[in-house]
Amino acid sequence: MSQAVDTCWIEIAPGFTGLLALPPAGHGPGLVLWQEIFGVNAHIQAVAAQYALDGFVVLAPDVFWRQAPCVQLGYEGADRAQALALMQGYGADDALADIAAGVAALRSRPEVGGRKVGSFGYCMGGRLAFLTAATTEVDAAVAFYGGGIHGQLERAPAIRCPLQFHYAGHDDHIPPEAVARVQAALPQAEVHVYPGAMHGFNCWARASYHAPSAALAHGRSLAFLAQALFAAP
């Protein structure tokens, strides 16, 4: 029996690749999935397949392609140290270039075919999803525990699309004051805080995985994205 979701690596720009996951129908609205600092690893690949099963054409760009192409890292020890170094070496101009290229590549896919396109991501990828909303014409954006968004809120007035944020109630990286700043700058956004969760609660490979929060956040994200993206352009 064939797999319900077909995946392959595609070229976004010269040297810049990403994982493409197609829904069972073979077409649908697009979602750009921005990785955590650990690369397009098993978790991100599984998330791409998860949302493809939900009907979206998902593209997960490999944003560390300049430093360590196709790197896939774990969450502890030397892998974590490498991930942090890669994040620190990922410049703002490179991120904006990757955002523009990733969105353009997904919009050009025949499987998307002029349908709407959204953006979502986790941790560093949550910040990239926010920046995607601020710098491109995506139709919706979802950020899971996006670190550093509260430090880039000068971009908030440029955002025209619907936004949804998911935050852990106990996050050593994103204090409640940071969440409050995001809410104040983006009062139109949908913000959810999960009291029993810690940073990284969506990732089943991490010690901080919290299944009740992950399931609730997935359901909320699907409802939000379905409303924003499945409607006719």
Side-chain angles (χ1 to χ4, degrees):
M1 184 174 66
S2 62
Q3 296 293 320
V5 171
D6 289 327
T7 63
C8 63
W9 286 85
I10 66 167
E11 185 174 76
I12 295 170
F16 181 20
T17 63
L19 179 75
L20 182 72
L22 298 178
H27 56 79
L31 277 179
V32 185
L33 166 59
W34 298 109
Q35 64 176 68
E36 296 177 301
I37 65 173
F38 305 99
V40 184
N41 63 4
H43 170 247
I44 295 300
Q45 293 184 37
V47 169
Q50 182 181 41
Y51 279 82
L53 278 172
D54 294 322
F56 300 97
V57 176
V58 184
L59 176 62
D62 174 32
V63 302
F64 291 150
W65 63 279
R66 297 172 185 84
Q67 306 175 69
C70 298
V71 68
Q72 297 185 38
L73 300 171
Y75 303 96
E76 304 294 339
D79 275 16
R80 181 174 180 81
Q82 183 181 357
L84 290 169
L86 290 169
M87 178 187 67
Q88 291 163 4
Y90 187 49
D93 289 344
D94 289 340
L96 292 176
D98 290 347
I99 285 169
V103 172
L106 186 57
R107 283 199 185 278
S108 72
R109 296 293 304 183
E111 300 90 348
V112 174
R115 297 175 181 86
K116 293 183 177 180
V117 170
S119 174
F120 76 124
Y122 300 87
C123 192
M124 179 189 74
R127 182 173 71 254
L128 295 178
F130 166 80
L131 289 172
T132 304
T135 62
T136 75
E137 298 298 321
V138 290
D139 300 288
V142 176
F144 277 69
Y145 34 88
I149 292 174
H150 62 283
Q152 300 189 32
L153 291 173
E154 72 280 358
R155 294 187 178 274
I159 296 176
R160 298 289 180 265
C161 69
L163 286 171
Q164 187 183 66
F165 295 99
H166 300 275
Y167 289 105
H170 305 282
D171 194 323
D172 293 337
H173 307 282
I174 308 171
E177 303 79 48
V179 178
R181 287 173 61 185
V182 172
Q183 289 178 295
L186 293 158
Q188 77 277 21
E190 192 177 309
V191 179
H192 300 286
V193 179
Y194 300 84
M198 297 185 294
H199 190 85
F201 66 79
N202 185 76
C203 180
W204 45 86
R206 299 177 73 160
S208 58
Y209 175 57
H210 192 250
S213 298
L216 182 55
H218 183 223
R220 286 169 168 167
S221 298
L222 278 182
F224 175 82
L225 291 168
Q227 183 175 23
L229 301 182
F230 275 105

